[in-house]
Amino acid sequence: PRFLRTAGSMVLAVSAGAVYLLMRAPVRFRKPDAGEVRAVLDLHARLGGGTNPLMVAVGDKATFVDGDRGFCLYRTIGPYVVVFSDPVVRAASERTAFLDAFFAFAGELDRRPVFYQISLEWIPVLHDRGYDFFKLGEEAHVPLERVTLDGHAGKMYRQILRRGERDGVTFRVLEPAAVPPRLDELEAISNEWLKTKGLAERQFSIGYFDRDYLATFPCAIVEETAPPHRILAFAN
């Protein structure tokens, strides 16, 4: 009898979970149009400071905008609504109000919020809401004012520059208007890199090759100094 009661309870629990999943309304992703992307980029220009939110222009994430208070990028995955990187909020004092609005939005979707790739600044306010945290990777921060070509500290950088001069390559940054004519070259480089690494394109937290996205922002390139100035590598 004890085994039968346990088995019956398990069957009821599994059945209830299955019914819940079947009855939950699906959330279908809709790629933001150009107007939505521009509005979010304009809001970020007024409120933001990092570069991660610029990935809204890739078009693989939805946006939640809380008026002029701020916004975040997200994607629904199973029972979760996953927020990418730090939300962009007008002031630190308004983070709680922004989260209140976003949690209400997630409740309407019947999804649980998960925050991915957040900075230390957001840990206290999320910890107050009962979140646990774990380290998934690292992100490098380079203080540019410490980078120098002088003295012992600049020895490695001087070697890199001399090697580039010997190899006949140069570095420069293309403005957005200059990117479209070079997109075929950039795509060939991207495809060759993926092939060499044995990888497929990835999305969400890693930029992937998208022509519209690349043409939206400046693009750094390493190219041959001599004509026809073939591009060897790029970063955006």
Side-chain angles (χ1 to χ4, degrees), residues 117-131:
Q117 202 168 311
I118 61 167
S119 69
L120 295 175
E121 296 178 0
W122 280 84
I123 286 182
V125 67
L126 290 173
H127 182 268
D128 290 344
R129 291 176 180 259
Y131 275 85

Side-chain angles (χ1 to χ4, degrees), residues 14 29 31 46 71 81 114 118 139 159 170 195 216 221:
V14 171
F29 174 71
K31 182 177 180 178
R46 297 198 306 270
F71 70 92
V81 52
V114 173
I118 61 167
E139 186 174 62
Q159 292 175 348
T170 187
K195 181 180 177 180
T216 303
I221 63 170

Side-chain angles (χ1 to χ4, degrees), residues 51-52 54-59 179 183 207-218 236:
T51 57
N52 281 340
L54 300 180
M55 287 182 65
V56 64
V58 181
V179 173
L183 282 172
Y208 63 96
F209 193 90
D210 179 85
R211 287 174 171 257
D212 292 337
Y213 174 66
L214 286 171
T216 303
F217 303 107
N236 135 289

Side-chain angles (χ1 to χ4, degrees), residues 56-76:
V56 64
V58 181
D60 66 339
K61 290 172 280 293
T63 59
F64 170 77
V65 180
D66 185 23
D68 290 332
R69 179 178 285 126
F71 70 92
C72 65
L73 310 182
Y74 74 91
R75 188 73 181 261
T76 55

